[in-house]
Amino acid sequence: MLFIAYEKYYESLDNSNKYQLFIYLLQSYVCINEFGEKIELCIDELETFTLSAEANCDFLFWKAKYYLVKGDYEKITKELNNYIKEDPRLYYMYALGIKHLYGIDKCIEELNAAQILYPDNWLIKYSYYDHNLSKVFKTDIKLAVEYIRQMQVFTSKLSLEDFFHYEYNKLVVAFYNKQLKSSQELEYLMQNCYKNNLSVEQSRVCNLLGQFYWCNNDIKKAIHYFEIGKMIQHQTDHHTYWWISNTNLALLYFEQNRYDECLQSINCIVNKYCENKWKKIVRFFSQKNIISSQLIDDKEITSFMLILWIAYSIDKEEGHRIIQSINLQNSTSLHQAYFDLNFLDNFVNGTLKQTNYFFESHYMIKC
């Protein structure tokens, strides 16, 4: 519908209205998770306009949101680096790019610096609390409860999507604090996400429903919701979340000794990584002197370590095949010691068991 309006009226518009049309189209495609040629066309067209400082910041913000979904984190940091002092939204997006490139500690450092630059900006403060919540949740659920409380004062300012994300985080903390006694609130939130076309948030809630039913020994319902989460995550192709429900399916099937189904889930994840030439994994494991906290702080890296451990545990050749795929597709020197079965065993059965990745006697990943 939006694109039909563009084709019908575009030539009759002056430059100001052409800009307004394309920025509206860009915002709309980002908000409804519709990506592809049309959104690329919007970006290409907007690049041709001579924009005011305010309009340019607006364009950069929405373009960065698109890059975040597609996993183009280098583009986010490169394009925003010179503009973070012009608009707090751009510093916020820059910090998100930093998180995915260099870890959550670096992201929090940037958000702390942003608070000094923009001391009265609520978005920066909220994001600072949100990312601290993400970090401490894995090891300190009581502190996570405190961050939820601090975030609550900003909820009236949030967009609908961000408000639903806050509500989701609140339920996550309740779940891990063993205060979520029924699925009613989760199902209500899932329905609201669906009604408002907020697919990413819906997939998160489905994943948490899978975790809830798994911990309540309803394996059939757990698989059902993980499958829905997986389907939505594949449809949205959001690079921050696409692997999560599939990882939980692999973990659940492994626990249930359903090895064929487990390996199917793992192969689905591996094939997706192959499409991107293992970019995230290679970038992380080419670092020197990686410590356990870095592995734990990045849940995608933790998830990868878990599926590699499972593959080795089922059949060593499956584990070797994954490592061979990484090495064949990349010339970057990786630290192979982290892929050794003894290291994986110590990490999974030692380090991870001291965190919320191991909950109610199950290894699981929250979205």
Side-chain angles (χ1 to χ4, degrees), residues 27-42:
Q27 292 170 1
S28 300
Y29 289 137
V30 169
C31 289
I32 65 176
N33 297 300
E34 186 174 322
F35 307 119
E37 290 184 8
K38 291 177 181 178
I39 198 167
E40 293 286 351
L41 172 63
C42 287

Side-chain angles (χ1 to χ4, degrees), residues 14 48 64 66 90 149 154 166 178 212 312 338:
D14 60 24
T48 66
Y66 169 60
L90 301 186
R149 187 191 66 78
F154 300 102
Y166 168 79
K178 301 182 182 180
F212 175 84
Y312 270 126
Y338 298 106

Side-chain angles (χ1 to χ4, degrees), residues 5-228:
Y6 151 70
E7 291 177 327
K8 185 174 182 180
Y9 298 110
Y10 180 72
E11 293 302 329
S12 64
L13 299 176
D14 60 24
N15 280 345
S16 175
N17 283 320
K18 285 178 181 178
Y19 163 76
Q20 291 296 331
L21 173 62
F22 276 113
I23 198 68
Y24 177 71
L25 285 168
L26 175 59
Q27 292 170 1
S28 300
Y29 289 137
V30 169
C31 289
I32 65 176
N33 297 300
E34 186 174 322
F35 307 119
E37 290 184 8
K38 291 177 181 178
I39 198 167
E40 293 286 351
L41 172 63
C42 287
I43 291 172
D44 289 344
E45 288 289 338
L46 286 163
E47 298 278 10
T48 66
F49 287 94
T50 301
L51 303 175
S52 66
E54 182 180 356
N56 188 53
C57 286
D58 205 34
F59 171 44
L60 288 169
F61 173 74
W62 287 100
K63 185 166 57 166
K65 294 199 78 167
Y66 169 60
Y67 288 155
L68 183 67
V69 172
K70 301 307 291 179
D72 289 332
Y73 309 122
E74 292 92 347
K75 284 187 178 179
I76 295 175
T77 54
K78 183 179 179 181
E79 294 199 14
L80 299 188
N81 186 47
N82 293 327
Y83 296 94
I84 58 176
K85 294 183 179 180
E86 294 187 21
D87 189 321
R89 295 178 306 163
L90 301 186
Y91 209 149
Y92 159 70
M93 293 304 299
Y94 177 81
L96 294 185
I98 291 293
K99 175 177 72 172
H100 291 289
L101 290 172
Y102 306 111
I104 197 163
D105 285 338
K106 293 294 184 184
C107 171
I108 291 171
E109 283 180 20
E110 291 294 342
L111 289 169
N112 198 36
Q115 286 191 98
I116 296 170
L117 187 62
Y118 301 106
D120 299 320
N121 185 264
W122 72 267
L123 176 62
I124 297 295
K125 289 180 181 177
Y126 180 83
S127 186
Y128 177 77
Y129 293 141
D130 188 26
H131 284 86
N132 274 284
L133 166 67
S134 179
K135 179 176 172 62
V136 304
F137 144 82
K138 302 175 183 77
T139 55
D140 190 341
I141 198 67
K142 289 183 179 179
L143 189 52
V145 171
E146 176 59 21
Y147 278 119
I148 284 288
R149 187 191 66 78
Q150 290 176 308
M151 291 162 65
Q152 187 172 9
V153 299
F154 300 102
T155 53
S156 64
K157 300 176 183 292
L158 298 175
S159 67
L160 185 62
E161 181 175 16
D162 288 336
F163 176 73
F164 283 169
H165 184 50
Y166 168 79
E167 290 292 307
Y168 162 77
N169 276 333
K170 193 164 66 171
L171 291 173
V172 165
V173 171
F175 171 70
Y176 280 93
N177 209 22
K178 301 182 182 180
Q179 294 176 332
L180 197 62
K181 302 304 181 184
S182 81
S183 63
Q184 185 175 351
E185 288 180 89
L186 286 170
E187 289 168 354
Y188 179 72
L189 182 58
M190 180 186 67
Q191 290 165 7
N192 278 330
C193 291
Y194 174 75
K195 289 176 184 177
N196 289 280
N197 198 34
L198 296 172
S199 301
V200 171
E201 296 307 318
Q202 184 189 357
S203 78
R204 285 189 177 112
V205 181
C206 287
N207 187 77
L208 186 54
L209 275 163
Q211 293 176 260
F212 175 84
Y213 283 114
W214 189 359
C215 289
N216 284 277
N217 297 313
D218 191 334
I219 301 303
K220 186 176 180 180
K221 279 190 176 179
I223 291 171
H224 170 72
Y225 281 108
F226 285 143
E227 286 285 356
I228 295 174

Side-chain angles (χ1 to χ4, degrees), residues 255-282:
E255 184 180 284
Q256 296 283 309
N257 299 320
R258 295 164 64 172
Y259 296 146
D260 287 344
E261 292 158 295
C262 175
L263 289 174
Q264 285 175 13
S265 293
I266 288 174
N267 286 334
C268 184
I269 296 168
V270 168
N271 291 338
K272 181 70 174 179
Y273 272 125
C274 286
E275 288 178 19
N276 297 309
K277 297 185 177 180
W278 296 92
K279 191 174 181 181
K280 170 73 179 276
I281 304 303
V282 169

Side-chain angles (χ1 to χ4, degrees), residues 243-303:
W243 41 271
I244 292 179
S245 287
N246 230 338
T247 300
N248 280 326
L249 282 168
L251 290 164
L252 186 153
Y253 286 137
F254 180 66
E255 184 180 284
Q256 296 283 309
N257 299 320
R258 295 164 64 172
Y259 296 146
D260 287 344
E261 292 158 295
C262 175
L263 289 174
Q264 285 175 13
S265 293
I266 288 174
N267 286 334
C268 184
I269 296 168
V270 168
N271 291 338
K272 181 70 174 179
Y273 272 125
C274 286
E275 288 178 19
N276 297 309
K277 297 185 177 180
W278 296 92
K279 191 174 181 181
K280 170 73 179 276
I281 304 303
V282 169
R283 184 172 60 231
F284 187 91
F285 286 104
S286 61
Q287 298 178 89
K288 295 180 179 179
N289 303 317
I290 301 169
I291 58 177
S292 292
S293 62
Q294 289 175 276
L295 297 170
I296 292 168
D297 283 344
D298 192 320
K299 62 186 173 187
E300 184 172 357
I301 296 301
T302 295
S303 297

